Amino acid sequence: MRTSLRLGLVVMAAMFGGSELASAQTAKIKLGYAKCAHCLPMSLIPGMAKGVEVEATGFNSGNDVLTALISKSIDVAQVTYLHYITALDKGFDVVAVSGQINGGSECLSSAKLNLPPDDWSAFKATVAKAKSDGQPLKVAASRGNAQDIHMRGAFLKQGVDPNKDIQFINIPNPSDHLAALQRGEVDMICSVEPFASQIRLAGAGKHFVLPYDQAAGNLTNLIVTRSDVIASQRAGVQGIVTAVVELDNRLMADKGPWIDVINKLTGLDKTVATEALNNASPDPAIHRSQTLAIAAMMRDLKYISKDVSAEAEKNMDYSFLEQATGKAKNDLGY
């Protein structure tokens, strides 16, 4: 009897000891993402990732997410191609490991501007007249986000210098864009989904253009980490990238969970969420050549101080995507 009891205790100790060992070996990743329509699905990653414990945190903007990554408050971040280039320009240690979802930018004009949709000639004439009258057009965005750089690049390509021909207004929180346009404080806003759809459906602004005719196209979101995280938590980073690929595949087949998460985390109704997804496309690839074009455009716009194309190319690690998809990097945007 005593022998049986001792044997049972030994077995139990082995079981619990094994469990603690397994727990100690499980990778733990702190993940950050911004609060926009194409960013919010990242909140679903903790429930999908396998072999890694994920603690996910939503931030107001991509700038806040990047700051958290650089300060080592988080391990993996959803930011934008713009943030990636900006970080490299400042000498920060960031490594791109996956794409996520692109799109989400829209320029909306005030009703008083009476600007026809997609009519660049009318826009340029309006900009020129306002400038000659000594009251440059007031154009807003959240400085430093993808929509800001999309708008600046599109304007520059049309011959409108965003640094000289308009008055730029910085409204950091996109959720404040609707009120600024509604109060007549600005003439145009380049906003991010779902707030762009909210503005349009509320009648506070009219669609002018999707500002994708520039070097960045509609590229927006990247998943990035640091080299020390890859060295110490490679399995964890792989778990995140694999989950992002699986998430994108699911969202391409069914937008229901995407609409639900926008509704839950922004408080905006499902009509707005559904409309927002007309301007978003899941895409886990890392687009190398376009990234280099973005870097050149940002240098032209004086958003960065030097040529970072070599660093941008060097700091793209396709190995996680290759393992997650079973494809070669040449089929993943390289």
Side-chain angles (χ1 to χ4, degrees):
M1 189 70 178
R2 285 182 179 177
T3 301
S4 298
L5 179 60
R6 279 200 297 272
L7 180 60
L9 290 173
V10 169
V11 170
M12 288 177 66
M15 290 174 61
F16 284 116
S19 175
E20 289 172 1
L21 181 61
S23 177
Q25 291 175 338
T26 300
K28 296 180 180 178
I29 294 289
K30 292 183 179 179
L31 170 69
Y33 61 91
K35 293 179 180 176
C36 63
H38 40 307
C39 312
L40 291 173
M42 292 299 292
S43 66
L44 302 174
I45 293 294
M48 297 178 60
K50 297 179 177 63
V52 53
E53 292 179 20
V54 184
E55 177 185 335
T57 303
F59 293 79
N60 281 334
S61 71
N63 291 333
D64 296 338
V65 183
L66 180 62
T67 300
L69 179 70
I70 299 304
S71 65
K72 301 189 177 183
S73 297
I74 59 175
D75 308 306
V76 177
Q78 169 271 305
V79 292
T80 67
Y81 284 77
L82 165 74
H83 293 109
Y84 175 62
I85 297 299
T86 302
L88 294 174
D89 179 56
K90 293 179 179 178
F92 295 140
D93 173 19
V94 291
V95 181
V97 292
S98 173
Q100 188 237 349
I101 292 174
N102 294 319
S105 300
E106 183 177 7
C107 293
L108 304 113
S109 63
S110 67
K112 69 176 183 180
L113 220 53
N114 197 27
L115 197 61
D118 303 306
D119 191 336
W120 283 108
S121 296
F123 175 69
K124 288 188 281 187
T126 303
V127 168
K129 184 177 187 309
K131 187 178 179 182
S132 67
D133 290 344
Q135 295 180 323
L137 219 59
K138 295 179 180 177
V139 180
S142 299
R143 184 187 293 279
N145 70 5
Q147 290 64 50
D148 181 23
I149 199 72
H150 284 169
M151 176 267 290
R152 288 172 184 269
F155 281 13
L156 197 62
K157 189 167 182 180
Q158 293 293 330
V160 175
D161 189 331
N163 295 318
K164 297 178 180 176
D165 296 332
I166 62 168
Q167 180 183 352
F168 178 74
I169 308 293
N170 179 32
I171 303 176
N173 192 336
S175 65
D176 296 330
H177 287 182
L178 184 148
L181 202 55
Q182 212 162 31
R183 289 194 297 260
E185 295 171 358
V186 297
D187 302 300
M188 179 177 286
I189 276 182
C190 195
S191 194
V192 63
E193 296 291 1
F195 303 106
S197 288
Q198 180 195 27
I199 291 170
R200 195 168 2 87
L201 294 176
K206 296 167 53 182
H207 166 79
F208 171 55
V209 72
L210 301 181
Y212 299 144
D213 186 19
Q214 33 69 34
N218 75 336
L219 296 184
T220 48
N221 286 5
L222 266 182
I223 306 301
V224 300
T225 184
R226 303 184 309 272
S227 58
D228 65 289
V229 178
I230 292 177
S232 63
Q233 295 268 43
R234 187 173 186 88
V237 176
Q238 184 62 61
I240 297 291
V241 172
T242 301
V244 168
V245 171
E246 182 182 345
L247 175 64
D248 277 8
N249 288 336
R250 287 190 188 182
L251 296 180
M252 282 187 266
D254 179 12
K255 292 183 177 179
W258 198 347
I259 293 168
D260 289 343
V261 79
I262 294 172
N263 172 244
K264 177 182 177 183
L265 297 180
T266 68
L268 296 175
D269 64 40
K270 291 190 177 182
T271 302
V272 173
T274 303
E275 180 73 11
L277 298 192
N278 292 325
N279 186 13
S281 52
D283 179 11
I286 305 171
H287 296 273
R288 183 179 62 87
S289 60
Q290 290 94 328
T291 303
L292 303 183
I294 291 169
M297 180 176 71
M298 290 177 66
R299 191 180 179 194
D300 290 342
L301 289 166
K302 303 189 187 308
Y303 249 72
I304 58 175
S305 59
K306 61 181 185 289
D307 180 5
V308 298
S309 53
E311 291 91 337
E313 191 158 13
K314 178 183 173 186
N315 285 29
M316 291 177 181
D317 188 337
Y318 282 84
S319 63
F320 300 98
L321 268 181
E322 288 181 315
Q323 183 170 332
T325 63
K327 298 178 180 177
K329 64 181 182 181
N330 287 336
D331 298 321
L332 296 166
Y334 181 76

